[in-house]
Amino acid sequence: MFQQSQAAATTPAVAETATWQPQIVALICNWCTYAGADSAGTARRSYPASVRAVRVPCTGRVDPLLIVKAFEQGADGVLVSGCHPGDCHYVQGNMVARRRFTVFRALMDFLGLDNRRLHFAWISASEGAKWSRAVDEVTTAVRAAGPLRDWGRTGARRSAVRLPAVPAAPRSAPSADDQRAVGGHLQRLAATLLTEGRVSVVIGYTPGSLPAQMVPAFVTRPEDAPALGWSDRCVNNLSVYLPGAVRQWGKVALVAKRCDVNGVVGLLQESQIARDDVVVIGVACPGVQDDGGLALKCHACGGDAPPHADWTVTPGGAEPGAHPSGASGAVAADPRDALVTYLESLPAEDRWAYWQDQFSSCLRCYACRAVCPLCYCAVCVAEKNRPQWIPVNIEGKANMTWNIARALHLSGRCGGCDECARDCPADVRLDLLNHRLSREIEQRFGYRSGADPAVAPPLATFRPDDPQEFIR
Amino acid sequence: MSEGAMASATRLTPDELHGWLAGMLGDKRVLAAVDEDGLRVFRSVERADQIALPTGKTRWSPKEFLFARTETLFAYSVAGNEVTLDGAPVESAEQVLVGVRPCDAAGFLRLDAIFLDGDADSLYASHRVRTTVVTVACDEAGPECFCTAVGGSPASDKGSDVHLTRVADGWLVRPVTAKGDRLTASLAGVGRAPSPEEHAEAETQSTRVAGHIRQSAIAREWAAILESRFHLPLWETLGRRCVGCGICTYVCPSCSCFDVTDTGSASCGERCRSWDSCTFAAFTRHASGHNPRATQAARYRQRVLHKFSYFPLGHDGESMCVGCGRCVQLCPVGLNVRETVQAVVAAAADGHDAGG
Amino acid sequence: MPSAFQPHLARIVSTRDETPDVRTLRLAFVEPDVARRFRWEPGQFAEFSVFGSGESVFTMANSPTRPEYLECTMRAVGKVSGAIRSLSVGQVLGVRGPYGNRFPVETWRGKDLVFVAGGIGMAALRSPLQFVLDNRADFGDVVLLNGARSVADLVYKDEMAAWQDGGVRVIRTVDPGGEATGWDGEVGLLPHVFERLALGPDGRIVIVCGPPIMLHFMFLALEKSGFTPEQVVTTMENKMKCGIGLCGRCTIGRVFVCRDGPVFTWAQVRAFPKDF
Ligand SMILES: Cc1cc2nc3c(=O)[nH]c(=O)nc-3n(C[C@H](O)[C@H](O)[C@H](O)COP(=O)(O)OP(=O)(O)OC[C@H]3O[C@@H](n4cnc5c(N)ncnc54)[C@H](O)[C@@H]3O)c2cc1C
Ligand code: SF4
Ligand code: SF4
Ligand code: SF4
Ligand code: SF4
């Protein structure tokens, strides 16, 4: 109720007068730029006082959340500068950072942040002149962009942007017989796995209390296997339960759709579970219904049998092993592509207004985190209070920080199951944020989540020749 | 509703109703259910054409207008060794919540019981006095609704100041409290007395909608039974699929847990309270790492027992849950508090029954 | 009227480091009127806050019989307690309270008392202990059994002699391995040392405070020694935010620890659902 006064208290008062000076935070590496800036300072090639330099040990230590915090606390622009690739004091910190910055920049651009506010540079200790020039250019750019007044807001949605309609579902509903058949095979397979002691629990689906609803079920006794079922309402990505279930039960069998397997692969990649812990029961999926229509993620999915499965269940039966046809099987374009492209086609300020709207309703229930198989941290960044990365308040600025943090933490890891977006009570289009970043990562680094458990996640690695055209 | 109560109702045409609601816009903050790109929530509206009375619930309850997501408790400023505190600015502008569902109005009564009991919470109290609640009887019920199972009804006026009922070609408007009388004072000379047919229509509607809710009642005596079954292993079976997402508590009209934190720097800022959720692990986790409610199932049990046992046992058996069904509908893993309660009550006292 | 959440201001008059991470603060309210009005009972607590960091609950560590100052002893474990640790003399913090129930000291009159405190749990027992010292003639035999992980972790080292002189038998113990050269106290876990003392249950009240695991074994030892659950009093430390029965997190079943506690008999604790 007093969010307004609160915003006023935490934002430095910015009088909109000719005397306005941009507030620019420069995160600069101790080993190079800082020395370069120092030499610039001593050489009296002075730079505007509006630049607050923050010395960091390496750009590799610049978590993009630091940049977000700068904006949250009232900065109008941010400059990050460190050693040239190859010159890192810690050998490769800056090259890992470069990938992170790539993704962060893509995200901020997609959110519609005026790109005059965010700058990256490689400036060595001997490049005092380059530093001075960079500071001049950045200051000019931020000055032109003006005071950043609307970083996060609360209240009614105001933007006129409406996403275009999604084309009709390309796949017809599966037949009731097929669904029953799959359910039957799942029941028999679960009973066998439990009876033979190959697993201690089977995580699958069972009818819920609302019409047609299917909900997660944990079956631990063969005689309970008939509770399992299958339909196009099996929306949950059950891999969210895997790490906990493995801790509790040891061997776990998991019913998984094509998209859910991405979660399993992610958990394997990040060593949260071992391959032997889990028996993946892949179901050749007919596409799931979300909000009465085919889920967006399913439009382009051929419903192929999942890879990495230990069992494959189709209406025809249950077979050991994975049997993906390998064919892309795409039946239609991914509507998320079209929606992302549409948003990208808008002027940045419209995009900004759109996302401000989206985040303004966020309740900070953290359901997006709870349902994500890759949000497994025992203590989430949102629970860390020293420092307080994510402010506890449920209002605009904090909502921005949370939503950016979530999107970044899932970048290069999200398997596109869209559970977060499906469950978000405020309908925040988290699916589009994730999709945009997955696309960036695929285009830039040639990486697709969920493909190979043996490959390092893209933001944990780098290539010396990674693109860097955005770095001055 | 009883005949007597209905007798004081006024029958308005849709235009008359709209005129009455629009007339509030000038001097009051009007909060109405607004559809925002598929998301229906209560918002402060500025224009008469934004005030609609849609059927069905808003995504989350309007409790945030009495108990805000985040509310400033006071502001502080620190200069050297001196500290100055400034109390939260007291808002006095009258606000009218228009189109509140009976379950949500009952939710306000639960919040009253929590925040106004004993030493009243001054912030909540200040919002409560300036708020008038206009309820609308439901003309349809969702598959998740179960108000009738917890002592409510789709036509209830409990917690309401002015109660509206939709009839063919018009509305019955009935003040319920003194606040409601004040709000309807401007209707003097507007509309007419409802016809017997219209009374009958309202009755029929109420019976019809209540009839759609085929959920068996949650008996008052169950509160004690549930408390005695705290230790049943069944809770683990029932609650283990809970992912601790917090949706249920944030959309619920009667959930009222909060956190108190500072926002700002060491030199100036505010202390605020913000919604929090008993389904979060961090809710009870000590600084030492010890967590009294160590499992998600234990946290789910806490929520269910608070609603259906601990609160009723301290409030004449009245359930804290008002049966809006939002948590049932929005829980990502389909947990259903009503069914959980029934399963625990139905379980053998030793509780070694299989469950969901 | 300011809300119940708005604290009084209190200035740090002096500090004393008890252990590397425990400090005792002596506070004086900024407003003389508040200083006169703010009265508490042994066992009650308050919300102490550092502006910009937040608030946390700590027990009033001195007895109401010594009301010139307010004292509290805090272990730096997290955000607020860490921030309090970094304040210096002259700086101001927020105090709201007192909250909670209290030790039923009047029912202890004429009885023998044993205070058993583990680690920082001693902070919660200092107030009732001082109360007993200040009314020494009203009570029988008084024993303080105070334990910590190591000698360095023992609190109130400077006060023990005065307590001893005041008529309290002080026994200190450290966990095996925690002794230092010259240590002349006991070595062993509190429940074991308690059993070795062989204090009979007749006419005796035991007041226990410490970490959950110590409480667990202490109660087993007490049971073995023939104490009834009604003879044992403890104080619970559930996480709290509001202190006034609203925020919902300190609950154990129907009980709000902040409002109905934090002091409970072991008989009450045993009847609680296992939710703590
Ligand atoms: C009735 C009572 C009396 C206490 N008396 C003392 C005392 O005299 N001396 C002492 O050193 N400690 C005492 N404690 C424990 C002390 O409250 C916690 O250590 C402290 O709250 C930790 O806060 P933090 O902000 O430093 O930790 P963080 O982990 O950063 O805490 C974050 C928030 O969680 C809450 N919190 C975390 N742990 C606890 C906890 N165990 N109890 C309550 N709230 C918690 C705090 O409100 C804090 O704001 C007492 C606790 C209770 C309930
Ligand atoms: S994307 Fe849709 S169709 Fe494909 S596996 Fe996932 S749920 Fe099934
Ligand atoms: S699920 Fe939606 S409302 Fe909840 S925290 Fe995530 S974005 Fe916000
Ligand atoms: S517990 Fe669920 S059904 Fe009951 S009032 Fe809350 S949200 Fe509605
Ligand atoms: S009961 Fe459902 S909505 Fe509530 S926290 Fe658990 S999973 Fe989320």
Side-chain angles (χ1 to χ4, degrees):
Chain A
M1 272 162 213
F2 305 111
Q3 286 95 344
Q4 251 55 51
S5 64
Q6 186 184 301
T10 48
T11 315
V14 186
E16 231 180 302
T17 61
T19 61
W20 171 74
Q21 285 295 325
Q23 308 270 340
I24 297 165
V25 171
L27 298 163
I28 55 182
C29 167
N30 178 48
W31 299 100
C32 49
T33 311
Y34 188 78
D38 218 29
S39 74
T42 47
R44 295 196 185 284
R45 274 172 287 187
S46 65
Y47 53 90
S50 52
V51 174
R52 311 273 170 90
V54 178
R55 183 152 53 139
V56 294
C58 174
T59 45
R61 294 300 301 269
V62 177
D63 186 318
L65 268 188
L66 287 173
I67 305 173
V68 175
K69 290 307 267 185
F71 285 122
E72 178 199 292
Q73 304 284 312
D76 302 302
V78 174
L79 164 65
V80 183
S81 177
C83 312
H84 291 269
D87 294 345
C88 177
H89 187 78
Y90 307 96
V91 186
Q92 56 192 41
N94 54 0
M95 290 193 279
V96 176
R98 184 168 59 188
R99 285 201 163 190
R100 252 187 262 140
F101 298 154
T102 304
V103 172
F104 179 64
R105 228 183 63 100
L107 175 63
M108 295 319 295
D109 183 63
F110 188 53
L111 294 184
L113 180 76
D114 188 326
N115 61 19
R116 291 173 295 188
R117 300 190 187 279
L118 184 57
H119 302 266
F120 298 88
W122 299 143
I123 300 173
S124 75
S126 59
E127 293 177 311
K130 181 173 178 187
W131 166 256
S132 297
R133 208 167 52 242
V135 163
D136 283 347
E137 286 166 12
V138 168
T139 308
T140 308
V142 177
R143 193 183 296 282
L148 176 55
R149 260 184 270 94
D150 53 354
W151 178 274
R153 59 175 192 78
T154 315
R157 294 188 172 175
R158 297 193 209 128
S159 147
V161 173
R162 290 289 175 273
L163 297 176
V166 167
R171 297 162 74 173
S172 52
S175 82
D177 284 347
D178 281 356
Q179 299 196 9
R180 252 195 310 278
V182 169
H185 300 314
L186 285 172
Q187 292 170 5
R188 282 182 292 278
L189 178 57
T192 309
L193 291 171
L194 289 165
T195 309
E196 294 177 358
R198 283 196 264 169
V199 298
S200 309
V201 65
V202 178
I203 309 179
Y205 303 91
T206 197
S209 60
L210 297 176
Q213 185 184 37
M214 296 296 282
V215 301
F218 294 74
V219 173
T220 53
R221 303 180 301 187
E223 60 268 34
D224 295 334
L228 294 174
W230 177 260
S231 82
D232 59 358
R233 295 284 305 269
C234 293
V235 281
N236 296 82
N237 181 347
L238 302 176
S239 65
V240 70
Y241 293 116
L242 260 187
V246 168
R247 273 195 301 275
Q248 183 173 353
W249 280 288
K251 290 234 177 200
V252 177
L254 185 86
V255 176
K257 309 181 287 290
R258 167 79 191 79
C259 48
D260 302 338
V261 167
N262 294 345
V264 181
V265 170
L267 291 168
L268 289 169
Q269 258 176 319
E270 299 178 17
S271 306
Q272 294 306 304
I273 52 166
R275 188 63 186 88
D276 288 345
D277 294 335
V278 54
V279 173
V280 177
I281 304 176
V283 179
C285 166
V288 295
Q289 300 288 315
D290 175 14
D291 266 344
L294 185 70
L296 297 192
K297 64 179 174 180
C298 304
H299 283 233
C301 174
D304 198 3
H308 307 293
D310 301 296
W311 288 86
T312 299
V313 177
T314 62
E319 274 182 82
H323 302 283
S325 71
S328 90
V331 282
D334 190 328
R336 295 173 298 186
D337 271 327
L339 297 176
V340 165
T341 306
Y342 172 74
L343 284 171
E344 287 182 313
S345 74
L346 299 174
E349 57 269 29
D350 289 1
R351 241 177 8 248
W352 185 250
Y354 174 81
W355 286 109
Q356 292 290 310
D357 264 8
Q358 293 282 307
F359 300 153
S360 74
S361 299
C362 168
L363 295 170
R364 299 276 290 294
C365 63
Y366 297 119
C368 42
R369 169 183 78 186
V371 297
C372 176
L374 291 161
C375 277
Y376 52 69
C377 297
V379 178
C380 170
V381 67
E383 291 164 3
K384 300 237 160 92
N385 64 9
R386 281 182 300 170
Q388 190 79 47
W389 284 105
I390 317 288
V392 174
N393 289 6
I394 308 170
E395 48 81 43
K397 279 188 201 303
N399 288 359
M400 280 289 279
T401 308
W402 163 247
N403 278 284
I404 293 172
R406 192 210 59 82
L408 288 176
H409 284 188
L410 271 310
S411 60
R413 306 168 65 230
C414 166
C417 73
D418 288 356
E419 272 293 88
C420 49
R422 176 181 75 87
D423 295 323
C424 173
D427 291 350
V428 179
R429 290 309 296 264
L430 304 168
D431 54 338
L432 301 184
L433 293 178
N434 297 338
H435 194 72
R436 172 67 187 84
L437 293 188
S438 297
R439 206 157 87 172
E440 180 79 9
I441 282 166
E442 188 167 355
Q443 283 164 2
R444 292 263 183 166
F445 314 131
Y447 175 93
R448 239 194 145 125
S449 295
D452 184 352
V455 158
L459 293 185
T461 180
F462 65 91
R463 274 201 317 261
D465 60 345
D466 277 332
Q468 58 168 23
E469 80 295 339
F470 64 95
I471 303 177
R472 66 179 73 225
Chain B
M1 288 291 99
S2 76
E3 282 294 313
M6 270 302 172
S8 61
T10 306
R11 189 269 193 194
L12 299 182
T13 64
D15 281 349
E16 287 165 341
L17 180 88
H18 209 251
W20 174 59
L21 295 173
M24 297 171 194
L25 280 171
D27 55 341
K28 298 182 178 66
R29 183 175 183 222
V30 177
L31 305 154
V34 171
D35 281 312
E36 288 183 341
D37 201 9
L39 176 70
R40 179 179 298 162
V41 282
F42 276 89
R43 295 286 196 206
S44 172
V45 296
E46 273 101 50
R47 300 185 320 269
D49 65 308
Q50 290 174 293
I51 310 177
L53 295 170
T55 13
K57 282 185 283 276
T58 46
R59 188 70 59 81
W60 50 82
S61 92
K63 75 177 170 193
E64 59 184 313
F65 299 101
L66 297 179
F67 167 49
R69 302 167 184 206
T70 287
E71 177 159 23
T72 302
L73 302 167
F74 60 86
Y76 63 83
S77 62
V78 182
N81 282 352
E82 301 312 314
V83 173
T84 320
L85 303 184
D86 279 308
V90 178
E91 277 194 39
S92 55
E94 274 189 61
Q95 55 182 15
V96 185
L97 276 157
V98 174
V100 174
R101 302 258 74 102
C103 53
D104 286 339
F108 295 153
L109 297 180
R110 305 302 187 273
L111 294 180
D112 289 351
I114 292 161
F115 285 109
L116 301 180
D117 187 38
D119 293 332
D121 178 77
S122 60
L123 289 161
Y124 180 87
S126 74
H127 302 311
R128 193 62 169 114
V129 291
R130 66 192 180 91
T131 306
T132 308
V133 177
V134 179
T135 47
V136 182
C138 298
D139 38 22
E140 68 178 38
E144 73 283 359
C145 296
F146 62 100
C147 53
T148 51
V150 287
S153 114
S156 167
D157 61 5
K158 281 188 207 157
S160 170
D161 295 308
V162 179
H163 191 57
L164 309 183
T165 309
R166 197 191 303 264
V167 291
D169 321 316
W171 293 84
L172 305 188
V173 180
R174 182 169 51 84
V176 183
T177 62
K179 260 188 199 167
D181 285 335
R182 282 196 295 279
L183 194 70
T184 49
S186 64
L187 284 177
V190 184
R192 58 165 169 77
S195 66
E197 291 74 28
E198 281 159 344
H199 277 309
E201 190 188 342
E203 274 307 320
T204 323
Q205 173 190 308
S206 144
T207 330
R208 175 180 55 83
V209 180
H212 282 165
I213 306 174
R214 275 191 235 101
Q215 319 285 17
S216 52
I218 289 174
R220 289 184 168 228
E221 309 78 73
W222 290 4
I225 299 177
L226 287 167
E227 187 180 46
S228 72
R229 296 190 175 180
F230 178 93
H231 293 105
L232 293 200
L234 179 59
W235 287 109
E236 160 65 18
T237 332
L238 289 170
R240 66 180 158 219
R241 72 174 189 261
C242 172
V243 290
C245 70
I247 289 179
C248 49
T249 53
Y250 282 34
V251 299
C252 176
S254 64
C255 275
S256 55
C257 292
F258 58 84
D259 197 353
V260 178
T261 52
D262 285 9
T263 181
S265 65
S267 56
C268 72
E270 299 183 351
R271 182 157 301 155
C272 300
R273 71 170 170 209
S274 305
W275 290 357
D276 203 346
S277 172
C278 63
T279 68
F280 294 158
F283 189 67
T284 47
R285 193 194 290 133
H286 291 194
S288 66
H290 169 72
N291 197 342
R293 292 187 203 121
T295 64
Q296 202 52 49
R299 300 189 269 275
Y300 177 67
R301 172 180 60 193
Q302 163 64 21
R303 177 160 193 274
V304 173
L305 288 181
H306 189 206
K307 292 274 182 243
F308 297 94
S309 173
Y310 307 148
F311 180 94
L313 287 171
H315 294 88
D316 297 327
E318 187 150 68
S319 157
M320 183 169 164
C321 167
V322 294
C324 75
R326 285 191 181 89
C327 61
V328 175
Q329 185 181 32
L330 297 172
C331 173
V333 298
L335 277 162
N336 183 323
V337 287
R338 187 182 49 79
E339 291 193 341
T340 298
V341 164
Q342 283 163 343
V344 172
V345 171
D350 68 357
H352 280 281
D353 188 6
Chain C
M1 194 193 70
S3 88
F5 291 91
Q6 193 163 322
H8 305 301
L9 300 178
R11 198 177 298 283
I12 303 179
V13 177
S14 64
T15 66
R16 187 178 69 195
D17 285 335
E18 307 284 350
T19 79
D21 60 356
V22 177
R23 174 175 284 184
T24 298
L25 303 184
R26 178 171 278 194
L27 305 167
F29 287 102
V30 171
E31 302 278 341
D33 186 42
V34 175
R36 261 192 314 278
R37 277 197 338 257
F38 194 97
R39 287 290 168 265
W40 66 96
E41 301 279 348
Q44 285 195 300
F45 63 91
E47 286 275 1
F48 292 81
S49 55
V50 179
F51 301 102
S53 294
E55 51 183 11
S56 259
V57 284
F58 299 94
T59 312
M60 259 73 78
N62 57 323
S63 165
T65 48
R66 306 179 187 189
E68 306 78 44
Y69 298 106
L70 177 60
E71 289 180 336
C72 57
T73 301
M74 300 158 171
R75 175 146 167 234
V77 293
K79 183 169 186 170
V80 179
S81 52
I84 293 178
R85 184 85 169 68
S86 66
L87 294 180
S88 34
V89 171
Q91 285 190 289
V92 166
L93 39 74
V95 181
R96 62 181 176 92
Y99 297 129
N101 66 354
R102 59 202 182 85
F103 285 108
V105 281
E106 65 286 344
T107 66
W108 299 349
R109 278 176 212 277
K111 298 207 170 121
D112 296 339
L113 308 176
V114 189
F115 291 90
V116 183
I120 188 67
M122 188 61 229
L125 297 196
R126 184 170 174 258
S127 176
L129 187 77
Q130 285 185 346
F131 183 90
V132 168
L133 282 164
D134 293 346
N135 299 277
R136 189 63 192 85
D138 293 350
F139 304 92
D141 194 29
V142 182
V143 177
L144 167 66
L145 177 52
N146 177 208
R149 261 177 325 197
S150 72
V151 176
D153 290 313
L154 284 165
V155 294
Y156 305 136
K157 292 189 193 71
D158 303 348
E159 298 178 39
M160 294 292 161
W163 294 353
Q164 190 98 39
D165 294 345
V168 173
R169 185 174 154 210
V170 177
I171 299 153
R172 318 195 86 193
T173 180
V174 294
D175 292 357
E179 54 283 39
T181 38
W183 172 244
D184 58 356
E186 304 274 334
V187 176
L189 299 173
L190 278 170
H192 300 155
V193 180
F194 177 82
E195 284 183 36
R196 281 208 296 262
L197 290 176
L199 299 163
D202 282 350
R204 206 168 246 130
I205 298 285
V206 183
I207 305 107
V208 197
C209 187
I213 184 75
M214 168 221 145
L215 291 183
H216 176 76
F217 286 106
M218 215 31 237
F219 290 128
L220 291 180
L222 284 161
E223 208 165 18
K224 227 166 84 187
S225 313
F227 285 83
T228 65
E230 289 74 21
Q231 279 176 288
V232 183
V233 187
T234 187
T235 150
M236 317 259 328
E237 294 201 349
N238 274 26
K239 186 164 169 176
M240 316 182 162
K241 280 295 184 174
C242 72
I244 50 178
L246 286 178
C247 81
R249 74 190 64 217
C250 70
T251 58
I252 305 174
R254 261 192 278 168
V255 167
F256 277 82
V257 172
C258 66
R259 195 187 56 200
D260 309 323
V263 176
F264 297 100
T265 63
W266 180 234
Q268 287 173 301
V269 173
R270 279 218 308 200
F272 288 157
K274 292 280 162 292
D275 210 12
F276 55 89

